[in-house]
Amino acid sequence: YDSMANTFGTTGTTSHSSTFGGLSDGQSYSVFVRCKDGLDNKNTDDYTISFSVATPVDSTPPVVSGSNITLPAGTTSTTLEATTDENATCKYGTTANVAYDSISNTFTTTGGTTHQEIINGLTDGSTQDYFIRCKDGVDNTNTADHQITITVETPADTTPPVISNGSPSGEQTAGTTSVTLNVTTDENATCKYDTTAGVAYDSMANTFGTTGTTSHSNTYGGLNDGQSYEVFVRCEDTNG
């Protein structure tokens, strides 16, 4: 008794009370009490008061995070990954705003704070959105989607334009002094021409007057009766 530092705030009669602070949710406490009477008779054994403070009810759903994924061309599979701020079971789908219980796909790895699923069948140039919702251990579920987008890049274009439908051809009417050169390409391109074979595109001095799309034309003059002409065409697409 004499070594106890704390005396009840209200004491000296048969009822004794004191404020006991510093409590925290989810914790248990024990307080040991001894008393002495007016003749200095003191307790030699503790009287124990035990109590606890309840843990608050968890009504907050998991917080979901995860970043968009961009993959190089040629990738056919990847790992869809999300994390949560508490243990949870997570699901995913490709349709937005679907309630958790109605989502049919559960992550293969889930139940902790890291959730993973292998996504197969990816194709070049594709983009797919995945909508994720999770549920914690006391059934708090997300009511809004966390979206992760997986994108596979389009392969670099290394194929030059295919040139076709060149005109004119054959013999032109006597007295013709100019014609319109025409070609088409299978993609947008800029076309040039030369009267000498084997000239590299960058070394050709003559660019078609109308070019830049898939139809290319240019007036070609200075023709004379009885003469034959050859024009050599090369084109370059927007990727050079």
Side-chain angles (χ1 to χ4, degrees):
Y1 174 89
D2 290 335
S3 298
M4 289 181 165
N6 306 298
T7 301
F8 276 72
T10 299
T11 192
T13 63
T14 59
S15 296
H16 316 271
S17 63
S18 191
T19 300
F20 185 77
L23 307 182
S24 299
D25 291 340
Q27 300 299 310
S28 296
Y29 301 89
S30 292
V31 178
F32 305 98
V33 181
R34 296 190 184 196
C35 301
K36 75 173 180 177
D37 62 17
L39 299 174
D40 217 27
N41 297 306
K42 303 167 186 175
N43 296 126
T44 56
D45 295 315
D46 295 326
Y47 178 85
T48 304
I49 300 174
S50 296
F51 61 94
S52 61
V53 180
T55 299
V57 175
D58 178 7
S59 60
T60 303
V63 176
V64 186
S65 59
S67 300
N68 295 333
I69 303 170
T70 299
L71 302 166
T75 303
T76 59
S77 65
T78 191
T79 300
L80 177 66
E81 181 172 303
T83 59
T84 50
D85 65 337
E86 60 178 323
N87 290 345
T89 300
C90 294
K91 296 183 177 184
Y92 69 95
T94 56
T95 303
N97 300 318
V98 176
Y100 175 87
D101 289 336
S102 298
I103 298 174
S104 58
N105 303 303
T106 302
F107 279 76
T108 299
T109 300
T110 194
T113 58
T114 299
H115 316 273
Q116 295 177 324
E117 180 70 29
I118 301 297
I119 304 296
N120 295 305
L122 304 179
T123 57
D124 291 343
S126 65
T127 297
Q128 181 63 64
D129 296 325
Y130 293 90
F131 303 95
I132 299 167
R133 297 192 181 197
C134 302
K135 178 173 74 172
D136 66 15
V138 290
D139 287 344
N140 296 309
T141 59
N142 297 124
T143 57
D145 299 324
H146 178 79
Q147 179 178 332
I148 294 177
T149 300
I150 297 177
T151 301
V152 182
E153 295 176 335
T154 300
D157 179 5
T158 59
T159 303
V162 176
I163 305 171
S164 60
N165 299 322
S167 66
S169 62
E171 188 173 72
Q172 307 300 300
T173 304
T176 300
T177 59
S178 67
V179 294
T180 300
L181 303 176
N182 294 284
V183 296
T184 60
T185 50
D186 64 337
E187 59 180 323
N188 289 346
T190 300
C191 294
K192 295 182 177 183
Y193 67 93
D194 205 293
T195 56
T196 302
V199 177
Y201 176 87
D202 289 336
S203 298
M204 289 180 166
N206 307 297
T207 302
F208 276 69
T210 300
T211 193
T213 61
T214 59
S215 296
H216 316 271
S217 61
N218 195 81
T219 300
Y220 185 74
L223 308 182
N224 295 306
D225 291 342
Q227 300 297 311
S228 295
Y229 301 89
E230 284 187 318
V231 178
F232 305 95
V233 180
R234 297 192 181 198
C235 302
E236 180 182 71
D237 65 17
T238 55
N239 291 313

